[in-house]
Amino acid sequence: MKRNKLRELLNEGKPTLGIHVLSTWPGIIEVIGYSRAFDYIEYVGEYSSFSLEQMDNFGRAIELFPDMSAMMKVEEQTRGFIAARAIDSGIQNVLFTDCRSADDVRECVRFVRSETPEAGGIHGYGMRRSTGYGVGATPADWVKNMDDVVIAIMIEKKGAVENLEEILSVKGVDMVQFGPADYSISIGKPGQVRDPEVQKAHQLMIATALKKGVAPRVEISSFEQAKPFIEMGVRHFCIGWDTGIIFQWCRQQGQAMRDLLVSK
């Protein structure tokens, strides 16, 4: 079974760097992998369309790169089903959205972990990619891999911030990330992501996570945005989105070419 690079780096106390994709095309996974720049790719399934077959192909592409793992961002509804199928496809880590309480988070952890007395989960062994379709990995191997799944939680609702200490105390939570857009909506200030109340909640999440020994992760669109967070103690980042990168290139290069043609 494939090494989980993200888990290894977290266990070693090292920084981690991911990139987001909304595309399930395996070729984009290969292109990113050949860059040797990232520890993992986050498939933002919450915002994308996918099939179970596409998830399997995503897992196959990731396995071409031993030093890179994957994560899937899973939406609130049917998250237990999606998380289990993502992991069993070879997407080794999960980012759960829309949690509001410690009970919500405990449920997410149970969806991931195996149903052993020690792990206390409800995820069962199946004849899927994660087990080599039942012939490539023993149940004991599979249980170890389920223990290694990195569980990340979005802190993006008013309730999650109010229950932050309790959420960060839930056994099995490895990483948290603030969601300013959803948080601004939940406090009645939709879209005001730079509002002092929103920024204060983000800073609170980072400081509290560091205090509790949970890794805070920050999403940024360019490396220039990282420095203030590094100064706060953040060492985990996910940078850029495939759609945003394509849009920016098209707008900049396309407009520059149009300006050049008009000037002639």
Side-chain angles (χ1 to χ4, degrees), residues 78-91:
T78 67
R79 59 189 171 200
F81 170 76
I82 296 173
R85 294 310 296 257
I87 295 165
D88 291 347
S89 292
I91 302 172

Side-chain angles (χ1 to χ4, degrees), residues 20-24 42-50 72-76 82 95 97-98 154 156-157 177-182 217 219 241-243:
H20 309 87
V21 299
L22 278 77
S23 171
T24 56
E42 179 191 316
Y43 172 51
V44 193
E46 183 189 19
Y47 308 141
S48 179
S49 300
F50 58 87
M72 184 168 179
K73 188 177 186 182
V74 174
E75 60 204 85
E76 179 180 9
I82 296 173
L95 171 61
T97 68
D98 302 311
M154 292 296 301
E156 57 184 345
K157 304 295 184 183
Q177 179 186 299
F178 188 68
D182 274 3
R217 189 188 83 162
E219 287 183 343
W241 290 257
D242 53 353
T243 50

Side-chain angles (χ1 to χ4, degrees), residues 6 15 24 53 64 68 75 101 114 130 151 158 181 201 242 253:
L6 181 57
T24 56
E53 184 177 6
L64 295 172
M68 188 171 70
E75 60 204 85
S101 68
S114 61
S130 62
I151 297 175
K158 183 172 182 285
D242 53 353
Q253 298 298 318

Side-chain angles (χ1 to χ4, degrees), residues 145-157:
N145 270 31
M146 295 311 100
D147 289 342
D148 285 345
V149 173
V150 172
I151 297 175
I153 304 292
M154 292 296 301
I155 303 298
E156 57 184 345
K157 304 295 184 183

Side-chain angles (χ1 to χ4, degrees), residues 45-148:
E46 183 189 19
Y47 308 141
S48 179
S49 300
F50 58 87
S51 68
L52 298 181
E53 184 177 6
Q54 287 173 318
M55 289 165 67
D56 279 352
N57 288 334
F58 196 109
R60 290 186 180 100
I62 283 288
E63 288 174 9
L64 295 172
F65 303 94
D67 289 327
M68 188 171 70
S69 59
M71 173 183 284
M72 184 168 179
K73 188 177 186 182
V74 174
E75 60 204 85
E76 179 180 9
Q77 301 301 322
T78 67
R79 59 189 171 200
F81 170 76
I82 296 173
R85 294 310 296 257
I87 295 165
D88 291 347
S89 292
I91 302 172
Q92 296 168 297
N93 309 291
V94 184
L95 171 61
F96 288 101
T97 68
D98 302 311
C99 292
R100 296 167 178 82
S101 68
D103 284 341
D104 288 346
V105 174
R106 290 187 190 99
E107 180 182 58
C108 291
V109 174
R110 291 176 67 239
F111 287 145
V112 169
R113 302 295 186 228
S114 61
E115 196 164 351
T116 63
E118 297 79 14
I122 59 172
H123 190 174
Y125 178 91
M127 294 174 63
R128 299 175 185 159
R129 287 205 68 252
S130 62
T131 67
Y133 305 101
V135 299
T138 67
D141 292 332
W142 178 82
V143 165
K144 172 62 168 59
N145 270 31
M146 295 311 100
D147 289 342
D148 285 345

Side-chain angles (χ1 to χ4, degrees), residues 208-252:
T208 309
L210 290 170
K211 181 181 74 174
K212 298 287 284 186
V214 176
R217 189 188 83 162
V218 175
E219 287 183 343
I220 53 177
S221 57
S222 69
F223 75 92
E224 292 94 344
Q225 298 171 349
K227 187 175 179 181
F229 297 106
I230 291 173
E231 291 172 348
M232 293 180 200
V234 176
R235 295 294 180 268
H236 306 281
F237 293 88
C238 204
I239 180 170
W241 290 257
D242 53 353
T243 50
I245 292 165
I246 293 168
F247 171 73
Q248 290 295 337
W249 189 93
C250 290
R251 185 170 67 175
Q252 293 169 2

